[in-house]
Amino acid sequence: MSTQPARNSTREWQALDRAHIHPFTDHAALHKIGPRVIARAEGTHLWDSEGERLLDAFAGLWCVNVGYGRKTIAEAAYKQLLELPYYNTFFKTTHPPAAELSRLLVEITPEQFTHVFYGQSGSDANDTIVRMVRSYWNLKKQPKRKTIISRVNAYHGSTMVAASLGGMSYMHELA
């Protein structure tokens, strides 16, 4: 992989970024200093547009847990993107990758886990489980059973429902 920074300079990328909104960010401070521009990644490391090498201890905010630049994953994704890049599983629909992955997940998890539901993120997963719990108790004719207990300062995501589960007051103030 090339160690060269992105085509534009750091200041040019920062200028392009000024119109955008960043999650969990003090935007006044951001506009004073400008964002760090991440230009490339390999393995567990990132390089910013100034060439500084950084350990990505957040794994791309928990989304790149296998590391960057994995050719076998990129090749499998490329092949699948050409065949069927995405389709939802709403309204009684499936597709081969979802069905096959579901079977594999049931095979490798403990016996009591026999169903798979796909989400887009941890926040989405928590929102979905709250809806599922509420729907379940409605179907059982016990609609008052909707209290969900969580720990204070337990991060469950940043969507409205997921943020409300964690009792993190600063996230409530942001909403």
Side-chain angles (χ1 to χ4, degrees):
M1 283 190 130
S2 170
T3 58
Q4 296 298 314
R7 291 183 304 268
N8 291 351
S9 72
T10 299
R11 290 199 189 282
E12 289 169 322
W13 286 116
Q14 290 171 334
L16 285 171
D17 184 74
R18 284 187 67 77
H20 303 293
I21 298 171
H22 295 260
F24 297 98
T25 298
D26 174 345
H27 285 87
L30 174 68
H31 288 298
K32 284 181 187 174
I33 62 170
R36 171 176 276 164
V37 179
I38 301 300
R40 70 178 201 87
E42 184 178 330
T44 58
H45 289 89
L46 306 168
W47 281 262
D48 69 14
S49 56
E50 299 294 309
E52 185 177 349
R53 181 179 179 220
L54 309 157
L55 175 64
D56 185 9
F58 276 126
L61 201 55
W62 313 293
C63 295
V64 190
N65 55 2
V66 297
Y68 298 96
R70 299 281 303 270
K71 282 189 174 191
T72 55
I73 294 172
E75 288 165 359
Y78 176 75
K79 181 180 173 187
Q80 186 60 50
L81 287 167
L82 292 175
E83 188 173 317
L84 178 67
Y86 172 81
Y87 199 78
N88 71 75
T89 56
F90 285 27
F91 311 114
K92 300 179 276 197
T93 303
T94 194
H95 47 82
E100 291 169 9
L101 181 59
S102 297
R103 177 180 46 91
L104 175 63
L105 291 172
V106 168
E107 286 175 5
I108 65 172
T109 55
E111 286 182 24
Q112 70 268 28
F113 300 119
T114 59
H115 295 82
V116 175
F117 184 92
Y118 294 103
Q120 302 294 322
S121 68
S123 297
D124 172 59
N126 282 301
D127 282 21
T128 299
I129 197 65
V130 168
R131 283 195 317 272
M132 284 181 174
V133 166
R134 292 170 65 93
S135 295
Y136 174 83
W137 289 114
N138 286 340
L139 289 169
K140 291 287 192 179
K141 306 291 188 228
Q142 297 181 47
K144 292 186 178 183
R145 294 189 75 173
K146 294 184 178 172
T147 300
I148 296 176
I149 299 170
S150 178
R151 298 178 64 138
V152 173
N153 290 326
Y155 180 78
H156 296 290
S158 60
T159 58
M160 291 295 281
V161 171
S164 72
L165 292 173
M168 300 173 89
S169 59
Y170 73 91
M171 289 184 75
H172 294 234
E173 293 165 10
L174 295 172

